[in-house]
Amino acid sequence: DSGVTQTPKHLITATGQRVTLRCSPRSGDLSVYWYQQSLDQGLQFLIQYYNGEERAKGNILERFSAQQFPDLHSELNLSSLELGDSALYFCASSVELAVSTDTQYFGPGTRLTVL
Amino acid sequence: AQKVTQAQTEISVVEKEDVTLDCVYETRDTTYYLFWYKQPPSGELVFLIRRNSFDEQNEISGRYSWNFQKSTSSFNFTITASQVVDSAVYFCALSEANFNKFYFGSGTKLNVKP
């Protein structure tokens, strides 16, 4: 158990809908990272938060947004869903990767299926 | 532009064989970080190692070792005396300085047969 929790584990929804994926980082970890893994695109970095502030954006669509709350949990909001958004969404956390001894810990992922 | 290439799509070995997974990267940055991750059949992702661009020392952790060569822009991963539990997809990744963005290779699926 990595200590990172993600809910829900599975989500099935229809095109055009909006969903929210939730991530709780390990206790003490300030950074949260979101990744998408799909058959078409492989593993892609979406966005990173550090202590409530957005730190970096990767290949995140405008239909997607995220935030990190004061208690450090994070939510990834996906709207106007399309079939191509079907993927496994991972969240990871770390204290601060700039510290050489730090490690990223991954949650079990949320599998999103858009029908 | 940053890019990570894992040319080996799938490798099959017999238990106890040594195996090397290749990773070649492209970047114009002088400061960057390289990673390896493991994704076993159960699907979770596991962080294995992070190496910064100024540290070319090889790293060994048990049966795992990593060879970083800036001259060839490679960061290869060797598993010595492979075991069935090593069967997984392994991803190499590159991040910019400050870990602001990550770029992943397409992964190498390793099958270790008993």
Side-chain angles (χ1 to χ4, degrees), chain B residues 13-66:
Chain B
V13 299
V14 176
E15 213 171 13
K16 296 184 184 176
E17 284 185 17
D18 298 347
V19 59
T20 296
L21 309 182
D22 297 333
C23 173
V24 174
Y25 63 92
E26 294 176 31
T27 180
R28 292 182 182 176
D29 295 343
T30 54
T31 302
Y32 53 89
Y33 295 84
L34 296 164
F35 299 79
W36 276 95
Y37 299 90
K38 174 182 180 180
Q39 187 173 39
S42 52
E44 75 272 21
L45 277 167
V46 179
F47 171 101
L48 294 178
I49 190 172
R50 175 265 313 281
R51 172 68 70 205
N52 75 56
S53 53
F54 299 108
D55 183 1
E56 286 193 72
Q57 279 194 339
N58 290 336
E59 174 125 359
I60 298 174
S61 176
R63 297 183 296 105
Y64 294 173
S65 61
W66 291 269

Side-chain angles (χ1 to χ4, degrees), chain A residues 91-110:
Chain A
C91 152
S93 74
S94 68
V95 176
E96 171 57 82
L97 268 185
V99 175
S100 63
T101 54
D102 196 19
T103 299
Q104 273 181 313
Y105 295 89
F106 284 83
T110 292

Side-chain angles (χ1 to χ4, degrees), chain B residues 70-82:
Chain B
K70 285 176 80 169
S71 59
T72 56
S73 297
S74 65
F75 186 45
N76 296 337
F77 173 30
T78 297
I79 301 175
T80 303
S82 60

Side-chain angles (χ1 to χ4, degrees), chain A residues 35-93:
Chain A
Y35 301 89
Q36 179 196 59
Q37 186 176 29
S38 65
L39 287 175
D40 291 343
Q41 304 286 336
L43 253 177
Q44 291 195 99
F45 166 73
L46 295 179
I47 197 164
Q48 181 194 160
Y49 281 85
Y50 178 80
N51 203 20
E53 301 284 330
E54 181 186 301
R55 201 179 215 183
K57 267 186 176 179
N59 299 326
I60 188 166
L61 300 172
E62 285 192 10
R63 301 183 285 108
F64 295 3
S65 65
Q67 53 183 326
Q68 186 179 28
F69 295 86
D71 67 352
L72 300 177
H73 91 271
S74 178
E75 293 181 356
L76 179 66
N77 301 297
L78 316 177
S79 62
S80 303
L81 285 168
E82 301 175 0
L83 296 177
D85 298 327
S86 295
L88 193 51
Y89 291 84
F90 287 105
C91 152
S93 74

